[in-house]
Amino acid sequence: MKFGYFDDARQEYVITSPTTPLPWINYLGCENFFSLISNTCGGYSFYKDAKLLRLTRYRYNNIPTDTNGRYYYIKDGDTIWNPGWQPVQTELDSYSCRHGLGYSVFTSTKNELTAELTAFVPLNNNCEINRLTLKNTSNQAKDISLFSYIEFCLWNAVDDMTNFQRNFSIGEVEIEGSAIYHKTEYRERRNHYAVYAVNTAIDGYDTDRDSFLGAYRGVNRPIVVEQGKSTNSKASGWAPIGSHNINVTLQPGEEMSYVFVLGYLEIDEDNKWEAPGVINKAPAKEMLAKFETNEQVETALDELKEHWTTLLSKYTVETNDDKLTRMVNTWNQYQCMVTFNMSRSASYYESGTGRGMGFRDSCQDLLGFVHLIPDRARERIIDIASTQFEDGSAYHQYQPLTKKGNMDIGSGFNDDPLWLIAGVSAYIKETGDFGILEESVPFDNDESKAQPLMEHLRRSFNFTRTNLGPHGLPLIGRADWNDCLNLNCFSKTPGESFQTCSNFESGKAESVFIAGMFVRYGKEYAELCKRTGNQAEAELVLAAVDKMYDAVLENGWDGEWFLRAYDAFSEKIGSKECEDGQIFIEPQGFCVLAGIGVKEGLAEKALNSVKERLDTKYGVMLLQPAYKDYHLNLGEVSSYPPGYKENAGIFCHNNPWVSIAETVIGRGDRAFEIYKKTCPAYVEDISEIHRTEPYVYSQMVAGADAPRHGEAKNSWLTGTAAWTFVNVSQYIIGIRPEFDGLVVDPCIPSDMPGFKATRIFRDATYNITVENPNGAQKGVAKLVVDGQEMSGNIIPFVDGKKEYNVTITLG
Ligand code: BGC
Ligand code: IFM
């Protein structure tokens, strides 16, 4: 069952029913000011950091689902309704929500009145615009009362949810004309306030929530709206809100537009006050002046659309499969940009108050957005590397605002260091910018400990090389990619839980997955050494990589698939000898994509085992059989019920590793089959089962052991976005940046007749046509670049050349 459809021409998903299985959201904002907006107008806004600078209040885990947002109440006679259906939930005569690239448009009608609400965050401005157009389509005049509503959050979202004894007394507002200023905490040492304004004279306002709603009422039936008259309340403590009242008479066929702006302003210390106790409103007025007219709003919206068109023109395809085309050209790349902006902080499943930026997460996200915004990828790399420790290990997370490592979580996730090599190498392949390796970058944010970035990579590599366990495999530490496989969690204290018993510093547990990473990214690091003239280091590195390769074959192979790990007592994990958890997905995907076991024929065996034991119609499960019982010595993994999350859920993030692995051994049919199973556009028809947004990936889909097999969770902020884009763009479509140029090496299903692609790479445009006359799955039989036949599958990059016309014949 579907709840909408893709409008490919406009690059929008059109939701046609407000009662989607879960809120289906969009992200507004590309730089510093962001908003989350659901298909019923729910969500909230923040500046840079969803914990410390949150403008509006949202109620996670509340009922009804998705409570609070930017709400517009329309009172037309006795009927009260909202363009986004919530919160009043009056049945609408028609409803649609178009989520586009950085904007959302709600169009609804009730009793021959049409409302169109367009929400977006303009480029270069710290505000959200809500333009509301009301049109009377009846043949009689209508007297309409319109009420706006947002609820302010007192900036620190955690404090806001916990410290009521203080917070009920600090709310302060000012009202001037049609602008409501939220100045809470400004008198203290803060330098910011918020404004919520409308571009017309108003008939009233409310800034005190309880006056607007009435005692014991919810946002679904504010007393002020029922009575049709604002109270002009002035918040003093309690819960400040912004609400405007506009009364208008619309003649038959007449329409009126209003522009509401919610903005964030910063003031320098010397100009804080206009008069004693009166905030300096000049910067707010300057901002509001930019969005006073419909034309100004239109121009800003056009600029935003243009911004996205330019961004997404860097990689486009034309294929015979609409779902593939729209995911590649639009939605997968869009999600990659959102993960760049948000990391894992603010979604409908991440409260924005917990985690900061993950070291491994941000490095992997980079793989998906580096081609879109290479300059910002460069900055991100420097930020991430600055949180590394001198021994090569890393803080697992850092704070987006301070960019400092998070001490509460600390380090000990032993895959982290190698992801830095992955990110840097991808950046250099994309840009050719070897200069980044010479950038001086601090360790642990301490400038006195700064070293060239290349030295950071050396320490990343050496951290793994020098932290090996009894089988010559990398020590896992607290966990590797799989946060929940905490194998150094042993304790003799009865009743102890994995949260308190980790002995990761002394533990000897080893990871075959990190071994796969070491082989893959060790080779990339060696290549960087060679290309920067350090042949001797390259040789040492390759020797260590070879040794690791052998260790995996010797101690990491279980007969039919790769082992997952050894626990702290050197017992096998992910082996046929285990009762549960006999096979794990991670080493099968990553070892093969690293090239391990390919020439020995083991890769194919491992991938056949994946198909046989882990595959489902909704994707490949993380492990099988699911752990039935809780095992302290395995850590968090078995704390989940079978089929959920890391305990045999379908983790979408590592499905593409298996798909890439399939392309390594040339099985295009199978690679594409795996790609399609978790790809949102292909499961749109079963939205009632899948439940999350059909235009973006979720972190997890419930596995075969779960009662709700096929149900997705945790949409938007997941490394799945980057890895599925790497998979589809670089391995299936097969256009892959390498140090010397662009490689074109598709691995497609045999029934795909070919495709066209346009790739902007290092400022040159590549027009690529791939033909598949003989139903091949992989293998370039002929490569023609600008009329010249060439051997191999790499188009060498020629400095200064701006256009390449490429034809490839598979066979
Ligand atoms: C959670 C895991 C989750 C991981 C994400 C852990 O704290 O419990 O289930 O996948 O964090 O980083
Ligand atoms: O690898 C992690 C990631 O860092 C956060 N989400 C879950 C993944 C698997 O545990």
Side-chain angles (χ1 to χ4, degrees):
M1 183 183 172
K2 299 207 287 184
F3 295 83
Y5 60 91
F6 287 94
D7 182 339
D8 292 327
R10 297 164 68 150
Q11 296 183 291
E12 292 172 344
Y13 191 81
V14 189
I15 301 165
T16 48
S17 159
T19 50
T20 46
L22 290 164
W24 285 1
I25 74 161
N26 194 11
Y27 282 86
L28 314 179
C30 325
E31 289 142 345
N32 295 314
F33 188 101
F34 296 101
S35 297
L36 283 70
I37 186 163
S38 71
N39 60 307
T40 58
C41 279
Y44 61 94
S45 305
F46 60 94
Y47 176 75
K48 282 191 182 172
D49 184 322
K51 176 179 172 187
L52 298 174
L53 291 171
R54 191 180 296 208
L55 276 74
T56 50
R57 196 173 267 163
Y58 186 73
R59 294 190 171 75
Y60 278 94
N61 206 5
N62 207 301
I63 44 174
T65 298
D66 195 16
T67 297
N68 248 13
R70 66 290 283 151
Y71 292 142
Y72 295 92
Y73 298 88
I74 297 164
K75 186 167 165 33
D76 174 9
D78 289 338
T79 310
I80 297 171
W81 59 284
N82 309 97
W85 181 69
Q86 287 251 64
V88 177
Q89 301 190 355
T90 300
E91 198 177 325
L92 302 172
D93 296 337
S94 73
Y95 156 94
S96 75
C97 162
R98 292 179 166 265
H99 283 321
L101 304 177
Y103 67 88
S104 295
V105 181
F106 301 79
T107 312
S108 305
T109 54
K110 182 75 190 171
N111 299 345
E112 298 179 291
L113 182 70
T114 301
E116 183 175 282
L117 176 69
T118 304
F120 69 102
V121 171
L123 296 173
N124 310 316
N125 283 281
N126 296 323
C127 60
E128 178 183 321
I129 307 284
N130 291 172
R131 183 189 53 200
L132 181 65
T133 304
L134 299 177
K135 182 169 183 176
N136 179 1
T137 57
S138 76
N139 51 18
Q140 277 169 359
K142 275 180 181 284
D143 293 324
I144 307 291
S145 277
L146 173 68
F147 295 87
S148 65
Y149 178 81
I150 53 124
E151 182 179 6
F152 291 111
C153 178
L154 308 183
W155 301 113
N156 180 330
V158 170
D159 195 62
D160 184 72
M161 283 186 284
T162 51
N163 197 6
F164 307 109
Q165 61 79 27
R166 168 180 163 81
N167 294 339
F168 286 163
S169 293
I170 62 174
E172 278 189 291
V173 295
E174 284 180 35
I175 302 119
E176 191 183 288
S178 304
I180 295 166
Y181 294 87
H182 167 48
K183 62 177 185 175
T184 304
E185 304 233 81
Y186 184 79
R187 66 173 61 249
E188 199 203 334
R189 58 184 189 285
R190 311 302 160 101
N191 63 347
H192 49 261
Y193 62 79
V195 64
Y196 183 48
V198 59
N199 67 340
T200 190
I202 55 176
D203 294 291
Y205 60 83
D206 272 288
T207 64
D208 174 57
R209 189 188 67 202
D210 292 350
S211 309
F212 179 76
L213 296 181
Y216 294 95
R217 283 170 171 248
V219 277
N220 59 329
R221 48 185 203 111
I223 193 151
V224 156
V225 181
E226 261 177 39
Q227 293 175 349
K229 196 166 167 37
S230 294
T231 70
N232 293 350
S233 59
K234 185 156 184 208
S236 175
W238 300 111
I241 59 160
S243 173
H244 309 92
N245 170 220
I246 299 160
N247 297 325
V248 61
T249 302
L250 291 178
Q251 298 304 325
E254 191 184 356
E255 67 174 39
M256 276 299 284
S257 284
Y258 305 101
V259 180
F260 294 85
V261 177
L262 172 68
Y264 169 90
L265 289 311
E266 271 179 11
I267 304 287
D268 60 51
E269 192 56 39
D270 301 336
N271 296 313
K272 261 183 99 159
W273 306 105
E274 219 163 74
V278 180
I279 59 173
N280 176 358
K281 304 186 186 66
K285 288 179 180 166
E286 203 178 301
M287 173 190 275
L288 296 176
K290 294 190 209 164
F291 305 105
E292 237 161 34
T293 66
N294 226 341
E295 292 68 39
Q296 288 171 310
V297 171
E298 269 310 308
T299 307
L301 187 57
D302 288 347
E303 278 167 15
L304 181 69
K305 289 183 178 170
E306 186 57 37
H307 164 82
W308 277 105
T309 307
T310 311
L311 260 189
L312 297 189
S313 66
K314 301 239 171 122
Y315 193 124
T316 56
V317 288
E318 284 170 52
T319 75
N320 64 339
D321 180 336
D322 288 349
K323 298 183 172 97
L324 172 67
T325 307
R326 70 169 66 105
M327 285 310 298
V328 172
N329 292 357
T330 308
W331 297 100
N332 199 168
Q333 298 195 66
Y334 184 55
Q335 189 177 359
C336 287
M337 282 303 292
V338 172
T339 59
F340 160 71
N341 286 321
M342 298 290 129
S343 189
R344 304 295 171 271
S345 67
S347 73
Y348 265 35
Y349 309 90
E350 303 275 10
S351 67
T353 63
R355 302 164 198 224
M357 315 282 291
F359 191 97
R360 81 154 80 89
D361 296 331
S362 296
C363 287
Q364 290 173 85
D365 290 348
L366 207 132
L367 310 178
F369 69 74
V370 61
H371 66 295
L372 296 168
I373 43 167
D375 296 346
R376 298 184 76 186
R378 194 181 205 276
E379 283 167 25
R380 180 61 59 84
I381 286 172
I382 308 289
D383 288 349
I384 299 171
S386 305
T387 67
Q388 191 176 24
F389 290 109
E390 283 180 292
D391 70 354
S393 66
Y395 280 110
H396 193 50
Q397 288 174 10
Y398 70 96
Q399 298 304 333
L401 217 52
T402 62
K403 300 188 176 170
K404 295 264 162 57
N406 180 341
M407 297 214 240
D408 296 340
I409 297 177
S411 65
F413 294 82
N414 283 357
D415 60 321
D416 275 336
L418 292 171
W419 291 117
L420 183 64
I421 301 180
V424 173
S425 150
Y427 167 79
I428 298 177
K429 286 178 180 172
E430 179 66 36
T431 58
D433 172 18
F434 280 88
I436 193 174
L437 296 172
E438 288 154 34
E439 283 292 328
S440 171
V441 181
F443 283 103
D444 194 7
N445 273 293
D446 180 346
E447 280 299 341
S448 72
K449 295 182 191 155
Q451 291 282 343
L453 181 63
M454 188 63 172
E455 179 60 20
H456 284 252
L457 301 193
R458 194 176 76 83
R459 296 195 194 180
S460 283
F461 181 78
N462 279 338
F463 180 83
T464 312
R465 190 180 64 78
T466 57
N467 280 289
L468 303 180
H471 299 89
L473 297 167
L475 291 176
I476 200 169
R478 270 160 85 162
D480 58 23
W481 172 87
N482 187 333
D483 276 327
C484 300
L485 196 61
N486 316 120
L487 300 177
N488 293 315
C489 221
F490 46 89
S491 164
K492 295 204 177 349
T493 315
E496 188 147 36
S497 96
F498 71 89
Q499 276 136 335
T500 50
C501 76
S502 183
N503 304 320
F504 67 88
E505 273 159 1
S506 58
K508 288 277 167 279
E510 295 160 275
S511 162
V512 177
F513 170 76
I514 302 183
M517 286 187 75
F518 186 82
V519 170
R520 163 102 185 189
Y521 298 122
K523 285 190 220 157
E524 308 231 343
Y525 169 56
E527 197 56 38
L528 291 174
C529 293
K530 270 191 211 158
R531 286 170 187 266
T532 50
N534 196 345
Q535 189 63 31
E537 170 83 352
E539 277 162 24
L540 284 176
V541 170
L542 290 176
V545 165
D546 285 348
K547 219 167 141 196
M548 186 67 76
Y549 189 105
D550 294 343
V552 173
L553 292 192
E554 204 167 307
N555 299 317
W557 179 253
D558 196 52
E560 299 291 324
W561 56 80
F562 292 98
L563 271 182
R564 177 62 175 87
Y566 286 95
D567 72 11
F569 309 99
S570 282
E571 297 291 334
K572 291 175 182 171
I573 303 293
S575 158
K576 57 181 175 302
E577 295 165 21
C578 304
E579 189 188 327
D580 290 326
Q582 294 178 343
I583 174 171
F584 281 66
I585 192 174
E586 304 98 315
Q588 321 313 327
F590 227 87
C591 288
V592 176
L593 73 76
I596 303 176
V598 175
K599 59 179 186 293
E600 294 84 356
L602 304 182
E604 198 173 327
K605 258 194 186 170
L607 296 177
N608 290 345
S609 300
V610 167
K611 184 162 180 173
E612 210 175 287
R613 291 170 178 259
L614 296 177
D615 210 11
T616 76
K617 61 178 170 179
Y618 301 122
V620 183
M621 292 177 287
L622 195 146
L623 62 86
Q624 274 296 296
Y627 291 107
K628 292 185 283 295
D629 308 307
Y630 175 62
H631 305 271
L632 174 66
N633 59 313
L634 301 177
E636 188 176 356
V637 63
S638 58
S639 72
Y640 283 110
Y644 289 114
K645 295 279 284 186
E646 281 86 343
N647 188 12
I650 296 159
F651 236 83
C652 300
H653 186 144
N654 40 32
N655 273 245
W657 298 343
V658 177
S659 183
I660 295 172
E662 289 287 353
T663 69
V664 169
I665 63 167
R667 299 199 295 201
D669 284 329
R670 175 70 180 146
F672 197 57
E673 184 190 342
I674 297 171
Y675 169 76
K676 287 196 293 190
K677 284 186 182 191
T678 54
C679 185
Y682 292 89
V683 290
E684 187 196 8
D685 287 338
I686 53 154
S687 287
E688 80 285 9
I689 298 174
H690 189 252
R691 300 187 76 221
T692 51
E693 296 91 331
Y695 41 91
V696 290
Y697 284 92
S698 294
Q699 181 204 48
M700 188 219 49
V701 174
D705 302 278
R708 294 172 162 226
H709 183 34
E711 180 186 60
K713 284 202 185 97
N714 307 347
S715 55
W716 283 97
L717 304 185
T718 160
T720 312
W723 273 107
T724 46
F725 191 67
V726 168
N727 176 32
V728 71
S729 65
Q730 300 187 16
Y731 292 90
I732 293 178
I733 296 295
I735 302 174
R736 183 164 64 240
E738 288 291 348
F739 295 113
D740 296 320
L742 213 51
V743 162
V744 186
D745 189 16
C747 184
I748 54 175
S750 46
D751 61 5
M752 191 181 277
F755 56 84
K756 286 190 173 182
T758 307
R759 174 71 158 93
I760 297 174
F761 174 66
R762 301 186 197 167
D763 284 337
T765 302
Y766 292 70
N767 303 310
I768 300 166
T769 304
V770 171
E771 285 159 2
N772 189 20
N774 302 317
Q777 296 183 48
K778 190 172 175 167
V780 172
K782 194 171 165 195
L783 165 69
V784 179
V785 181
D786 294 320
Q788 291 242 302
E789 192 165 338
M790 307 186 81
S791 59
N793 58 15
I794 181 156
I795 311 157
F797 181 75
V798 183
D799 222 356
K801 186 168 148 99
K802 289 286 174 232
E803 194 174 19
Y804 299 74
N805 291 304
V806 182
T807 309
I808 297 239
T809 313
L810 299 183

